[in-house]
Amino acid sequence: MTINVLIIDDSLSSCRVLSKHFMQLNVDRIEYCSDGQTALRTLTKYKGDYQVIVVDLHMPKMDGIELLIRLSKIGFKGGVIIASGMESRIIEAASQVVVNSRLRLLGALMKPVCASQLKICIERLYMMDVQLVPNKPMMEVKELQEAINCDKVIPYYQAQMDVKTGEIKGFEVLCRIQQGDQLQLISPSRFIDLAEENNLLNTLTDKLITRAMDEWREISRVSACLGSSISINLTPNQLAQRSWPNRLMRYCEDKQLEPSKVTIEITENQVLDKQSQHSSISRLRLHNFGVAIDDFGTGYTNLSQLCKLPISEVKLDMSLVKGIHLDPLAQTILKSLQDISQGLGVDLVAEGVEDIRDLNYLEKIDDLRLQGYLICRPKPFSEIMRWLKAHEKVGCGLV
């Protein structure tokens, strides 16, 4: 849970102000660099030592934009905050440099920066980097195997709604596991990596899809869901397996479900750079499946790649949706995604809508779907059916 911050700014007074704000946020260590060249040497040698860097744009010897480009090339994995006194258009242009690289942009802020802005940036870092968040221990392999064999893999459903009409557009299927007779179900953070490392993920996914498609036949008969679709997650490693498009087609044939009603969400925890991954995406689209890039904005897929992949949907990660009502960076990324999605004819989804102020901002955006706790919490089959009945009674809107 260590968070070390490197502030790169030629103004000592700015460094001191930022340092004071960070100390209020309980970061572990704060250091300064007064120019980009020194910072680059430090981060090249000790890039794993810093979880956050704050970059001014106008600096001697090497400006902030050049520094960001070079940091991308050396593979810096920490979070980046741009803090500058330049005009907003220049800050937005610098943000695009980061968005189009594999850096993780936490914020693009105009000076003077306040503590509340930095707080959102640190919260965003925690959301992007699960290793910084204290988690419950992973399941044991034996426990996971037993849960799979005993049909303890439980689909949960979370609705997506049209921002303007409140119409239900689809449901994401989320995996939960019941351990023994416990009422509290286990979330994916405690078993997905374990399943992948022990060659259990395909079996786990098979169990989830089989049950979800059976339940989906009932969900899809509800009048509010007649035009909606179901979304199922695959990892990049699964996508690289050439068997998955055929496997999904067999599922749809066996369950008498139109592929056009199924979207495959690619979890963005790795780079999608293998030919086999691109081939799987193309084959899925060829057979009318939807393909969504999940968690966009966490650093692996950039805007130019979106234009090259034959996807049907892109989902803005919840780390960028959080606080979007007061964050010019997140607003810029959303606007860029909106322009691209409209140009390519793909759907755009904002994930993690949990703050009414963010919802109020997003409701002003055209051609957008919303997903998050303010819209619908993830629910098992029986509860989502009750939620749908309540939704029908009150009409379109939040329940």
Side-chain angles (χ1 to χ4, degrees):
M1 284 195 59
T2 299
I3 298 183
N4 298 326
V5 178
L6 180 65
I7 301 171
I8 308 160
D9 196 317
D10 62 331
S11 167
L12 182 58
S13 61
S14 291
C15 291
R16 287 173 173 167
V17 170
L18 288 167
S19 179
K20 181 180 178 182
H21 292 330
F22 275 119
M23 284 190 288
Q24 296 174 17
L25 301 174
N26 296 318
V27 304
D28 296 275
R29 192 172 85 235
I30 305 162
E31 298 179 6
Y32 309 151
C33 277
S34 60
D35 65 86
Q37 289 181 347
T38 303
L40 185 62
R41 287 194 296 269
T42 300
L43 291 168
T44 300
K45 189 174 183 179
Y46 304 108
K47 61 184 176 184
D49 289 357
Y50 300 95
Q51 289 69 46
V52 177
I53 62 169
V54 184
V55 180
D56 187 23
L57 295 181
H58 192 272
M59 294 185 293
K61 300 181 182 178
M62 180 188 296
D63 61 60
I65 293 178
E66 183 181 357
L67 173 61
L68 292 170
I69 292 170
R70 294 199 182 189
L71 286 178
S72 174
K73 291 179 179 178
I74 68 170
F76 177 69
K77 299 298 184 184
V80 176
I81 301 171
I82 296 172
S84 177
M86 306 298 292
E87 63 178 284
S88 60
R89 287 182 299 176
I90 296 176
I91 296 176
E92 288 181 8
S95 302
Q96 292 290 356
V97 170
V98 182
V99 170
N100 283 312
S101 70
R102 289 175 181 167
L103 295 173
R104 297 190 292 180
L105 189 53
L106 305 178
L109 311 175
M110 291 188 68
K111 293 180 179 178
V113 175
C114 66
S116 61
Q117 291 173 309
L118 294 178
K119 183 173 183 291
I120 288 176
C121 293
I122 295 297
E123 289 174 350
R124 189 169 284 158
L125 176 70
Y126 278 114
M127 295 168 76
M128 288 183 178
D129 196 338
V130 295
Q131 293 179 353
L132 294 172
V133 182
N135 259 328
K136 294 181 180 179
M138 298 283 281
M139 293 181 69
E140 297 290 335
V141 176
K142 183 179 178 181
E143 293 173 328
L144 178 59
Q145 183 71 68
E146 182 180 352
I148 293 172
N149 292 340
C150 296
D151 292 327
K152 299 289 188 178
V153 179
I154 314 295
Y156 268 48
Y157 303 88
Q158 188 172 34
Q160 296 176 2
M161 283 189 184
D162 183 272
V163 69
K164 297 296 185 183
T165 66
E167 178 185 356
I168 297 172
K169 306 300 289 186
F171 293 86
E172 180 179 358
V173 177
L174 303 166
C175 188
R176 301 290 186 267
I177 284 183
Q178 184 177 5
Q179 191 174 25
D181 297 323
Q182 297 178 20
L183 295 177
Q184 186 69 36
L185 300 188
I186 297 172
S187 62
S189 62
R190 293 184 59 195
F191 60 78
I192 289 294
D193 289 345
L194 181 72
E196 195 151 39
E197 290 166 5
N198 291 275
N199 297 317
L200 292 172
L201 188 55
N202 283 350
T203 306
L204 176 69
T205 306
D206 284 335
K207 292 282 187 179
L208 181 71
I209 293 176
T210 299
R211 185 162 177 173
M213 285 192 170
D214 285 337
E215 294 176 349
W216 175 248
R217 282 188 290 189
E218 296 298 318
I219 296 171
S220 63
R221 291 191 183 111
V222 178
S223 59
C225 302
L226 295 178
S228 62
S229 61
I230 186 173
S231 297
I232 296 164
N233 288 280
L234 293 183
T235 68
N237 284 336
Q238 287 177 302
L239 191 68
Q241 300 167 23
R242 299 184 187 278
S243 63
W244 266 104
N246 289 338
R247 190 181 303 199
L248 289 162
M249 284 186 275
R250 284 197 301 271
Y251 279 126
C252 289
E253 184 177 349
D254 292 344
K255 303 298 181 181
Q256 298 182 326
L257 183 62
E258 289 293 327
S260 60
K261 296 293 185 181
V262 179
T263 294
I264 306 305
E265 293 194 12
I266 311 303
T267 50
E268 204 205 23
N269 61 348
Q270 299 172 24
V271 183
L272 295 175
D273 59 359
K274 295 179 181 177
Q275 182 59 45
S276 56
Q277 292 169 330
H278 293 187
S279 296
S280 291
I281 291 174
S282 298
R283 289 193 65 213
L284 288 168
R285 296 294 292 129
L286 181 66
H287 291 281
N288 293 323
F289 288 93
V291 175
I293 297 298
D294 198 10
D295 305 331
F296 183 86
T298 55
Y300 289 102
T301 305
N302 59 41
L303 292 172
S304 62
Q305 285 177 301
L306 288 182
C307 299
K308 298 174 184 177
L309 295 171
I311 60 171
S312 60
E313 183 180 305
V314 60
K315 302 182 76 173
L316 182 65
D317 186 66
M318 62 184 299
S319 63
L320 292 171
V321 172
K322 182 180 177 63
I324 196 170
H325 67 282
L326 50 72
D327 188 340
L329 158 69
Q331 293 170 11
T332 298
I333 294 175
L334 176 58
K335 179 63 169 62
S336 298
L337 283 176
Q338 187 183 31
D339 291 343
I340 288 175
S341 63
Q342 288 175 343
L344 298 176
V346 304
D347 295 320
L348 178 59
V349 181
E351 292 187 278
V353 183
E354 299 179 0
D355 187 314
I356 191 65
R357 295 167 297 179
D358 294 331
L359 176 63
N360 291 338
Y361 174 82
L362 293 168
E363 285 178 332
K364 301 172 186 176
I365 308 297
D366 293 327
D367 301 321
L368 183 66
R369 297 181 182 183
L370 304 179
Q371 180 179 339
Y373 282 9
L374 272 185
I375 310 304
C376 172
R377 288 178 175 269
K379 303 175 188 292
F381 173 69
S382 59
E383 290 184 21
I384 203 69
M385 293 298 286
R386 285 196 291 270
W387 180 85
L388 286 168
K389 288 180 181 177
H391 180 80
E392 285 186 314
K393 286 181 180 178
V394 301
C396 295
L398 307 182
V399 178

